[in-house]
């Protein structure tokens, strides 16, 4: 729905609320009209149920409001003496319409100074869990989101098994577009969990949100989507920033299954989360030459902690390379294997630092870079058009769209920006002969509505990135990784990476020991203060 449609919908909800509660407002000593005034009726209702006024804000936060609405329905019933488990059940299962029954069919009395303490241990646990979920969802959505590195596309900068905190407020937190979804999960709820080696099925596992993911669906579920909104951030995306974003061309049900039964067209905020390096920002002209990125004609200089990796063919004297030895001696961590009957090895990723040492290995006869030839087209590479003979190592040049900038557009340029014009900016496009029609009108120019970015992995031959799908719109940007709070290599912890920053100059420094010292000091101080108060 558009913002205006949502505004009308919210007004209708206010009328429904007023019709179902105005008598209850009167019994609580308020005026009937107060039940109908948008927002103000919420503040008054909080006074009636003896809860803080700022709960009203929570009622307007997507996802969080699904929990808070149920809580308010129950609290309203309890404020008029309906404390039984059946009352709680009916309040929730009727989506609040139980209040209509209380309003018109019963003679309930308002309990002004009712106890807010749960009547049982289970009630206490339920309240604690609900508000823990609310608090965590707010933090997760608008401030900091945990993220795990799933692949080696940024290996050496970010490792597989790094656990990150991703800041939402650096670039501005995006308001959830999907309004009906499970809190604190992304696009799926696990179908089973493993406890002590036993797999336990979860009955409601599967898709975590309400949306019909067939292309072009006009389902009522899809009308519950909010338009794109973002809270202003305090910095722009800069060149070479590491960024978490939603994969713009994602049509996979499961990111680990590249051959689903069909394409799944997800809402923007439920597309697969990825992390890459932004090598080109809006307004840049980008080109890849021999595997290296050039921006506006100059070779892109990466930060200290970034380490490019390329793939190589290695001819050994024998047919054996020990993976553990290569990892410990040369820091070669990506996969490798024999590819022909000459015992030639293919190494998917080796950094320059590792290569300089690996060349001196007595088992190595030769090392040959796996660089594709210029002008040889790779059909898997953007823009997937036979007129563009681009591949992973020789690509471009192309202009990265900037909001408000206008470009000339013709049939030659169209393949580069067709997806931007249609999928990301919502226009209709037709080609009739040599003419391009946008929204039914002949167009020779196009003005972009938002900024776009070019996201690539440092692992240049082992990364599915913008070279495969093209530009990343700003409305797909999730946030900026700022902190590694834990790292696990699959078998043991990488202690040196605990509590390290993602960005910065020089070797990353772990702040784990200072953190533990402060934590122990705080615990000790609290115990000392408690003893002093009791003495």
């Amino acid at each position: 729905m558009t913002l205006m449609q949502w505004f009308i919908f919210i007004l209708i909800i206010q009328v429904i609320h007023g019709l179902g509660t105005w008598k209850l407002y009167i019994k609580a000593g308020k005026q009937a009209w107060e039940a109908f005034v948008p927002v103000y009726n919420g503040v008054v209702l909080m006074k009636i149920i003896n809860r803080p006024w700022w709960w009203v804000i929570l009622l307007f936060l997507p996802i969080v409001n699904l929990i808070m609405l149920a809580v308010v329905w129950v609290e309203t019933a309890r404020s008029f003496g309906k404390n039984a488990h059946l009352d709680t059940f009916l309040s929730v299962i009727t989506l609040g319409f139980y209040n209509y029954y209380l309003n018109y069919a019963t003679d309930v009395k308002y309990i002004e100074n009712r106890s807010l303490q749960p009547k049982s241990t289970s009630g206490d646990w339920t309240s604690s869990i609900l508000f823990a979920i609310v608090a965590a969802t707010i933090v997760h959505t608008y401030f900091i989101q945990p993220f795990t590195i799933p692949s080696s596309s940024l290996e050496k900068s970010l490792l597989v098994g790094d656990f990150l905190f991703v800041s939402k407020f650096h670039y501005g937190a995006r308001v959830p577009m999907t309004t009906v979804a499970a809190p604190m999960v992304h696009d799926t709820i696990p179908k089973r969990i493993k406890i002590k080696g036993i797999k336990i099925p979860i009955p409601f596992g599967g898709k975590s949100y309400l949306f019909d993911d067939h292309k072009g669906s006009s389902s009522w579920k899809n009308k519950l989507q909010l338009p794109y909104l973002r809270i202003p951030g305090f910095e722009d995306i800069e060149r070479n920033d590491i960024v978490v974003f939603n994969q713009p061309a994602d049509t996979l049900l499961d990111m680990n299954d590249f051959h689903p039964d069909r394409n799944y067209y997800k809402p923007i905020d439920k597309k697969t989360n990825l992390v890459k390096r932004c090598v080109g920002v809006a307004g840049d002209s980008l080109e890849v030459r021999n595997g290296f990125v050039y921006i506006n004609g100059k070779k892109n200089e990466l930060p200290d902690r970034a380490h490019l990796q390329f793939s190589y063919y290695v001819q050994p004297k024998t047919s054996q390379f020990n993976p553990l030895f290569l990892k410990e001696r040369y820091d070669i961590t990506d996969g490798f294997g024999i590819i022909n009957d000459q015992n030639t090895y293919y190494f998917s990723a080796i950094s320059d630092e590792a290569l300089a040492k690996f060349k001196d290995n007595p088992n190595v006869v030769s090392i040959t870079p796996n660089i594709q030839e210029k002008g040889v087209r790779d059909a898997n590479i953007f823009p997937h058009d036979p007129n563009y003979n681009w591949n992973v190592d020789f690509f471009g040049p192309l202009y990265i769209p900037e909001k408000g900038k206008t470009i000339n557009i013709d049939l030659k340029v169209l393949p580069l920006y067709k997806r931007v014009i249609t999928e990301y900016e919502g226009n209709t496009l037709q080609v009739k002969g040599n003419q391009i029609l946008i929204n039914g009108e002949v167009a020779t120019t196009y003005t972009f509505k938002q900024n776009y970015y070019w996201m690539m992995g440092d692992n240049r031959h082992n990364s599915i990135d913008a070279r495969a799908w093209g530009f990343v719109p700003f409305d797909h940007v999730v946030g900026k990784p700022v902190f590694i709070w834990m790292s696990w290599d699959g078998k043991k912890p990488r202690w040196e990476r605990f509590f390290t920053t993602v960005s910065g100059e020089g070797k990353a420094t772990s702040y784990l020991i200072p953190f533990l010292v402060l934590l122990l000091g705080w615990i000790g101080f609290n115990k000392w203060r408690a003893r002093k108060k009791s003495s």
Side-chain angles (χ1 to χ4, degrees):
M1 289 193 286
T2 64
L3 284 176
M4 180 55 70
Q5 289 170 332
W6 271 105
F7 178 72
I8 294 171
F9 175 75
I10 290 172
L11 287 181
I12 292 171
I13 294 298
Q14 303 304 309
V15 173
I16 293 173
H17 169 78
L19 291 174
T21 58
W22 65 273
K23 284 189 175 181
L24 300 180
Y25 273 65
I26 292 174
K27 291 180 179 180
K30 307 299 179 183
Q31 301 295 317
W33 62 266
E34 291 180 294
F36 292 88
V37 181
V39 181
Y40 176 71
N41 57 6
V43 175
V44 174
L45 182 61
M46 294 309 114
K47 291 180 179 179
I48 292 173
I49 66 176
N50 199 20
R51 294 296 185 178
W53 67 267
W54 50 262
W55 272 29
V56 177
I57 298 174
L58 303 182
L59 292 173
F60 287 91
L61 294 181
I63 309 301
V64 171
N65 58 7
L66 299 179
I67 300 171
M68 293 305 302
L69 282 170
V71 170
V72 169
W73 296 332
V74 171
E75 291 286 295
T76 301
R78 290 178 177 177
S79 294
F80 292 88
K82 297 298 182 179
N83 296 301
H85 291 304
L86 179 60
D87 296 310
T88 299
F89 175 77
L90 290 174
S91 295
V92 175
I93 202 69
T94 63
L95 302 181
F97 281 95
Y98 183 57
N99 289 330
Y100 269 72
Y101 167 73
L102 301 181
N103 195 60
Y104 292 107
T106 63
D107 186 24
V108 293
K109 292 184 179 179
Y110 176 59
I111 304 172
E112 185 173 1
N113 296 311
R114 71 185 178 96
S115 173
L116 298 180
Q117 296 299 318
K119 299 289 191 281
S120 64
T121 303
S122 61
D124 191 23
W125 272 100
T126 301
S127 297
S128 299
I129 291 171
L130 280 176
F131 284 100
I133 292 173
V134 167
T137 301
I138 292 172
V139 172
H140 181 276
T141 304
Y142 297 98
F143 297 96
I144 293 286
Q145 176 181 337
F147 187 83
T148 306
I149 297 298
S151 71
S152 62
S153 69
L154 287 171
E155 194 75 11
K156 310 312 173 200
S157 294
L158 294 177
L159 309 183
V160 175
D162 279 350
F163 291 79
L164 309 176
F165 284 140
V166 176
S167 164
K168 298 291 188 72
F169 52 84
H170 274 72
Y171 304 139
R174 188 177 58 187
V175 177
M177 287 167 262
T178 305
T179 59
V180 183
M184 292 176 40
V185 294
H186 187 49
D187 59 342
T188 54
I189 298 172
K191 293 186 177 180
R192 60 185 63 87
I193 58 174
K194 185 184 286 187
I195 300 178
K196 294 184 178 180
I198 300 174
K199 291 183 178 179
I200 302 174
I202 299 177
F204 48 84
K207 191 162 63 174
S208 67
Y209 55 97
L210 192 65
F211 190 84
D212 182 0
D213 48 25
H214 289 81
K215 187 172 186 179
S217 172
S218 58
S219 170
W220 65 270
K221 300 176 186 177
N222 298 11
K223 299 186 188 307
L224 298 175
Q225 291 286 302
L226 273 173
Y228 167 69
L229 294 168
R230 188 183 290 272
I231 299 169
F234 64 83
E235 70 176 48
D236 296 325
I237 298 176
E238 296 180 355
R239 200 175 296 121
N240 295 323
D241 275 357
I242 295 177
V243 180
V244 173
F245 59 95
N246 299 114
Q247 209 270 54
D250 178 24
T251 57
L252 299 177
L253 179 62
D254 179 351
M255 68 173 292
N256 296 311
D257 179 7
F258 286 88
H259 303 284
D261 56 335
R262 63 175 174 86
N263 286 343
Y264 290 80
Y265 295 89
K266 307 175 184 178
I268 290 173
D269 57 338
K270 294 302 177 182
K271 292 180 179 180
T272 299
N273 286 333
L274 294 180
V275 57
K276 307 287 179 187
R277 190 180 301 281
C278 177
V279 296
V281 299
D284 282 346
S285 178
L286 177 140
E287 186 176 3
V288 178
R289 306 176 197 165
N290 210 34
F292 294 93
V293 171
Y294 287 76
I295 300 296
N296 304 323
K298 295 182 179 180
K299 189 174 181 180
N300 186 34
E301 296 295 332
L302 293 173
D304 290 348
R305 297 183 190 178
H307 300 275
L308 290 183
Q309 295 194 99
F310 296 94
S311 60
Y312 294 88
Y313 297 108
V314 179
Q315 191 64 48
K317 291 180 180 177
T318 70
S319 60
Q320 296 287 325
F321 278 116
N322 185 301
L324 183 60
F325 176 78
L326 293 182
K327 178 181 178 181
E328 293 179 351
R329 181 70 178 271
Y330 304 111
D331 197 25
I332 296 174
T333 51
D334 276 40
F336 61 90
I338 297 172
I339 60 170
N340 59 31
D341 55 8
Q342 266 89 61
N343 294 326
T344 303
Y345 275 81
Y346 174 75
F347 281 76
S348 59
I350 302 178
S351 67
D352 288 345
E353 294 86 348
L355 184 66
K357 299 175 183 178
F358 191 37
K359 285 179 179 178
D360 295 331
N361 186 296
N363 192 35
V364 172
V365 175
S366 64
I367 300 179
T368 306
N370 175 31
I371 300 294
Q372 297 190 30
E373 293 182 27
K374 184 177 183 179
V376 176
R377 178 173 177 257
D378 184 341
N380 295 317
I381 295 300
F382 179 84
H384 314 288
D385 185 275
N387 294 316
Y388 288 85
N389 295 323
W390 295 352
N391 56 55
V392 292
D393 295 309
F394 291 92
F395 184 96
L398 83 165
Y399 170 75
I400 302 174
E402 183 178 4
K403 182 179 179 179
K405 291 298 175 70
T406 301
I407 62 166
N408 295 322
I409 192 164
D410 55 29
L411 295 182
K412 183 179 179 180
V413 172
L414 184 61
L416 297 175
Y417 302 105
K418 182 179 180 180
R419 187 174 180 85
V420 168
I421 295 169
T422 57
E423 297 291 329
Y424 306 147
E425 303 204 343
N427 301 289
T428 62
L429 187 148
Q430 292 177 293
V431 175
K432 293 185 177 180
N434 292 324
Q435 288 188 323
I436 298 171
L437 282 75
I438 298 177
N439 299 326
E441 297 184 1
V442 175
T444 57
T445 62
Y446 183 76
T447 302
F448 298 106
K449 299 177 183 177
Q450 63 176 314
N451 287 330
Y452 292 80
Y453 302 88
W454 196 260
M455 309 291 188
M456 287 176 62
D458 296 346
N459 201 336
R460 290 293 159 83
H461 291 153
N462 197 17
S463 172
I464 301 175
D465 52 35
R467 290 168 295 179
W469 64 71
F471 308 107
V472 174
F474 185 54
D475 63 11
H476 283 58
V477 170
V478 174
K480 180 177 183 177
V482 292
F483 200 68
I484 301 169
W485 63 273
M486 188 180 80
S487 187
W488 183 266
D489 72 357
K491 295 181 179 179
K492 61 181 186 301
R494 305 183 186 102
W495 293 108
E496 73 283 358
R497 295 185 67 80
F498 278 51
F499 285 74
T500 59
T501 56
V502 172
S503 303
E505 298 180 357
K507 184 177 175 60
T509 301
S510 172
Y511 295 96
L512 176 60
I513 299 302
F515 169 77
L516 292 176
V517 170
L518 286 173
L519 180 62
L520 291 173
W522 177 254
I523 293 171
F525 173 74
N526 282 337
K527 287 186 176 181
W528 172 79
R529 188 171 60 176
R531 282 199 200 113
K532 190 173 181 181
K533 284 183 178 180
S534 61
S535 61

